[in-house]
Amino acid sequence: MMQPVILEKLAELPESLQTELLHYIEFLIEKQAKNSTQQKPTKKRRVAGTMKGMFVLPLPDEFDEPLEDMKEYVNAHD
């Protein structure tokens, strides 16, 4: 329905503006393509049991001790 009206108006424009309009249409098509790919994030399904064996129980005795990287920070704020 809208295409005949657009074509009518397009025919009224000088060629320089028709070229400018063409560039704008191409810009809109690219923008739409980017938006459509960004709107469809792929969801990764979680699989039960993938972390099996990653945690060892019982926890070691030094579990609550500050990490080596943090000892300087902890000592500076005591």
Side-chain angles (χ1 to χ4, degrees), residues 6-74:
I6 292 172
L7 292 175
E8 246 179 67
K9 297 293 182 184
L10 179 64
E12 295 174 14
L13 292 175
E15 190 171 336
S16 62
L17 288 180
Q18 288 180 7
T19 303
E20 192 174 331
L21 183 60
L22 174 63
H23 292 162
Y24 184 66
I25 290 170
E26 290 170 346
F27 164 76
L28 290 176
I29 291 170
E30 287 180 31
K31 183 178 172 183
Q32 181 186 17
K34 280 183 187 177
N35 287 342
S36 66
T37 57
Q38 290 176 354
Q39 290 176 353
K40 298 177 184 175
T42 56
K43 288 188 176 183
K44 293 183 180 179
R45 298 199 71 156
R46 295 181 182 164
V47 179
T50 56
M51 297 296 288
K52 187 175 183 179
M54 297 293 289
F55 301 100
V56 180
L57 295 176
L59 296 174
D61 293 335
E62 70 274 357
F63 180 77
D64 289 327
E65 297 297 317
L67 298 173
E68 286 293 322
D69 296 342
M70 297 298 291
K71 281 188 179 181
E72 184 178 317
Y73 174 81
V74 170

